[in-house]
Amino acid sequence: MSPTPPVDLAHHAVDDEEVDPLLIGRRIRQLRTERGMTLEDLATAVDRVPSQLSMIENGRREAKLSLLRAIARALGSGLEALWESEPLDERATLEIGLERAMRGQTFQALGIAPFRIGKTVPTDALKAMLALQSEIDRLRDERAATPEEARRANVALRRLMRTQNNYFPDLEQHARDLLARVDHPGGPLTQRTASDIAAHLGFSLHYVPDLPQTTRSVADLKNGRLYLSRTLTAKGDPRTAVLQALSSRVLGHVEPSSYAEFLRQRVETNYLTGALLIPEEHAVAALQEAKSRRAISIEDLRDAYSVSYETAAHRFCNLATRHLDIPVHFLKVHESGTITKSYENDDVNFPTDRLGSSEGQLCCRRWTSRVVFDVPDKFNPYYQYTDTGNGTYWCTARVEASSEGAHSVSVGVRFDDTKWFIGRDTANRGVSKHSVEVCCRRAPAELEGAWRDNAWPGVRTPRTLLATLPTGSFPGVDTTDVYEFLEAHAPS
């Protein structure tokens, strides 16, 4: 039997990914300790200073092959003992794990500078630090949701909304209690009442020109100050921004630990804001009276409470099934044709991906939400009946401008429930077989035949297509900007 050839460490260092100066250093330390040698003893044996060997043992310096051979001889072992020896003891394994963690992104992101792991550091402390680092990594991975994970969370939330007919009694009760505390008489909520709610919750309002770009508001919980953009007083609805900012405090939200929790908190915040702007008791009475006259109108709800059409549409969907016994659907569609929000409990078939999410899908070109963009009359609401593979639906829709382009907002019902609405006499009709046929998902055969081989579009690729969603407890928010802003504006 031929002798075992010597281990070529230089070859392994190039070809084997397991070569790690930190691992070799800990093996040297373990062998030295087992033989009862001090660092000074080993340094003398190999004619080096102790500090140099200390750096090798700590993995901070990579030793040359000649020095490793000398160390192995001094320890009375072969070179292979430094390379393929038995597993390290528990302490050495923990130290290596913590050393690697300190060089990783988690410690750097937390601003924790690497430190020396001395003999006096308890083994239990090493275990605790590694456990904390592992949990932080898990949370970072959970929060860095991929678009697929975000869609799954959104689908789960939409299913919950459908189960409850988009009506949440606890949130309605929160709104009633809060309005009672500020002696709101009912009806539309004034801007002064919104300020009274802020004061009741211990906040003063401050409109500033330098609100961090990634935020809509910033609450200083320590000093009871709520900062909003000064542009709100010139455009938009100041009440909505104030109430959305305060709703999280009313609901006792804590820092979200996942994208699903963040999404749920956002839905709850928007729901409570709508319930404050359009109080349930007052609005339900008005809607029931309108139903008795067969004259329900989203526009009338919007005008009665001085809110946006989208807010009125959302609020109608909260109350319609619970109080009017009318199943409904809601769509918000970008001018590009992409669905950005959806809800239904009337069995309408929206286009969905394999996860069941309609957000991000293209809305059928023949559906009311797309047709309304081409209607020249932007003053009056647009109504349309649409025959689908799942029955006939009637929708009312409007186009609203936003910072991200124009969006259509539409509310619809089954054909049998159209009798309760203004606009039921419209002559506008469409046919959408999107849910059961190719419909508009492919170009007409004549056009495709003429242009398929002669067209090459330059795609405007969404910037998030290959990226994960923004990370952090509050996705996309630059916390440094927020903290610097609060520091600059905090009362002296």
Side-chain angles (χ1 to χ4, degrees):
M1 182 174 179
S2 59
T4 302
V7 176
D8 186 349
L9 190 61
H11 173 75
H12 279 277
V14 172
D15 294 339
D16 196 323
E17 293 182 0
E18 291 187 0
V19 171
D20 185 346
L22 183 60
L23 186 61
I24 292 176
R26 285 300 189 277
R27 292 187 192 279
I28 293 173
R29 177 182 293 177
Q30 180 172 316
L31 289 170
R32 175 176 62 77
T33 303
E34 289 174 356
R35 284 154 177 72
M37 297 178 68
T38 66
L39 192 63
E40 289 74 12
D41 293 338
L42 182 58
T44 300
V46 299
D47 195 24
R48 294 291 192 278
V49 296
S51 60
Q52 182 180 0
L53 289 188
S54 177
M55 294 183 71
I56 291 173
E57 287 191 354
N58 290 322
R60 294 190 177 91
R61 175 176 293 183
E62 193 168 353
K64 293 182 179 179
L65 186 58
S66 58
L67 178 56
L68 289 176
R69 287 196 177 103
I71 290 173
R73 284 194 297 271
L75 294 173
S77 67
L79 187 61
E80 65 275 7
L82 307 183
W83 173 243
E84 295 177 336
S85 68
E86 296 178 359
L88 294 168
D89 58 34
E90 182 188 30
R91 173 75 184 196
T93 302
L94 290 171
E95 289 182 0
I96 286 177
L98 188 55
E99 286 276 3
R100 287 173 175 164
M102 286 191 288
R103 300 175 187 180
Q105 293 182 349
T106 298
F107 271 67
Q108 293 176 7
L110 294 172
I112 301 176
F115 53 87
R116 180 178 175 275
I117 306 172
K119 294 180 180 179
T120 58
V121 179
T123 298
D124 286 343
L126 299 182
K127 292 179 180 178
M129 284 186 276
L130 283 171
L132 287 172
Q133 186 261 348
S134 177
E135 179 63 12
I136 291 171
D137 282 346
R138 186 190 69 80
L139 290 174
R140 283 166 61 90
D141 290 341
E142 188 176 73
R143 291 175 180 178
T146 64
E148 180 171 324
E149 290 170 325
R151 289 197 297 273
R152 287 185 189 277
N154 189 56
V155 168
L157 185 58
R158 298 299 177 198
R159 285 173 180 163
L160 173 64
M161 294 166 67
R162 189 183 306 117
T163 300
Q164 299 197 191
N165 291 320
N166 204 18
Y167 180 84
F168 293 84
D170 55 331
L171 297 178
E172 299 287 353
Q173 188 61 50
H174 274 297
R176 281 193 293 272
D177 292 345
L178 192 53
L179 291 173
R181 288 172 190 159
V182 295
D183 297 322
H184 180 58
L189 189 84
T190 64
Q191 189 170 339
R192 178 176 178 178
T193 304
S195 298
D196 290 343
I197 291 175
H200 171 75
L201 296 172
F203 286 91
S204 57
L205 303 181
H206 301 266
Y207 294 90
V208 296
D210 59 340
L211 196 72
Q213 189 176 7
T214 55
T215 66
R216 292 188 296 185
S217 64
V218 176
D220 179 348
L221 304 181
K222 180 170 68 174
N223 297 299
R225 295 159 72 93
L226 179 60
Y227 297 99
L228 303 116
S229 174
R230 187 174 292 172
T231 59
L232 282 174
T233 57
K235 63 180 181 179
D237 186 348
R239 300 170 304 164
T240 300
V242 170
L243 297 176
Q244 285 178 333
L246 295 172
S247 290
S248 287
R249 312 317 313 158
V250 175
L251 297 173
H253 286 162
V254 297
E255 184 175 311
S257 60
S258 66
Y259 189 82
E261 187 176 355
F262 166 78
L263 194 61
R264 179 187 58 78
Q265 288 183 1
R266 189 176 67 172
V267 168
E268 289 178 349
T269 294
N270 289 337
Y271 190 109
L272 181 56
T273 298
L276 291 168
L277 289 169
I278 306 178
E280 179 181 25
E281 185 177 0
H282 189 272
V284 166
L287 288 171
Q288 288 175 337
E289 191 276 333
K291 183 182 178 183
S292 69
R293 295 186 289 109
R294 301 193 174 205
I296 297 175
S297 167
I298 307 300
E299 282 75 14
D300 288 350
L301 191 63
R302 173 201 63 186
D303 296 342
Y305 294 92
S306 299
V307 295
S308 69
Y309 186 85
E310 183 176 353
T311 297
H314 275 301
R315 194 64 179 133
F316 178 77
C317 291
N318 296 151
L319 305 173
T321 307
R322 172 81 173 204
H323 295 289
L324 305 176
D325 196 29
I326 300 176
V328 295
H329 66 261
F330 168 93
L331 267 183
K332 183 176 181 181
V333 177
H334 186 259
E335 58 187 336
S336 63
T338 304
I339 298 173
T340 59
K341 286 184 184 179
S342 67
Y343 165 77
E344 59 80 20
N345 68 347
D346 59 358
D347 297 324
V348 67
N349 284 329
F350 294 142
T352 62
D353 62 14
R354 63 183 181 84
L355 300 176
S357 175
S358 58
E359 284 82 358
Q361 300 300 300
L362 279 177
C363 181
C364 180
R365 299 170 65 89
R366 301 182 180 119
W367 195 259
T368 311
S369 304
R370 291 286 298 277
V371 175
V372 67
F373 285 108
D374 298 324
V375 175
D377 182 1
K378 303 300 181 185
F379 181 77
N380 292 302
Y382 176 72
Y383 308 111
Q384 177 180 306
Y385 287 98
T386 306
D387 298 324
T388 77
N390 202 37
T392 299
Y393 290 85
W394 171 93
C395 298
T396 174
R398 273 195 177 275
V399 175
E400 292 189 326
S402 74
S403 59
E404 299 176 350
H407 285 82
S408 69
V409 175
S410 61
V411 173
V413 296
R414 299 168 180 162
F415 178 83
D416 291 345
D417 289 313
T418 307
K419 59 189 175 185
W420 309 118
F421 291 82
I422 291 176
R424 59 184 176 273
D425 55 351
T426 181
N428 299 319
R429 298 194 74 92
V431 177
S432 171
K433 302 295 185 180
H434 204 103
S435 61
V436 292
E437 298 176 7
V438 172
C439 192
C440 64
R441 283 177 286 182
R442 289 188 62 176
E446 185 177 349
L447 279 176
E448 184 172 14
W451 289 105
R452 179 163 185 170
D453 295 331
N454 297 295
W456 190 268
V459 180
R460 179 181 291 177
T461 307
R463 61 183 175 81
T464 57
L465 183 63
L466 299 177
T468 59
L469 291 170
T471 57
S473 300
F474 304 98
V477 171
D478 189 325
T479 53
T480 300
D481 279 352
V482 172
Y483 299 153
E484 288 177 347
F485 169 84
L486 289 172
E487 183 70 21
H489 287 270
S492 57

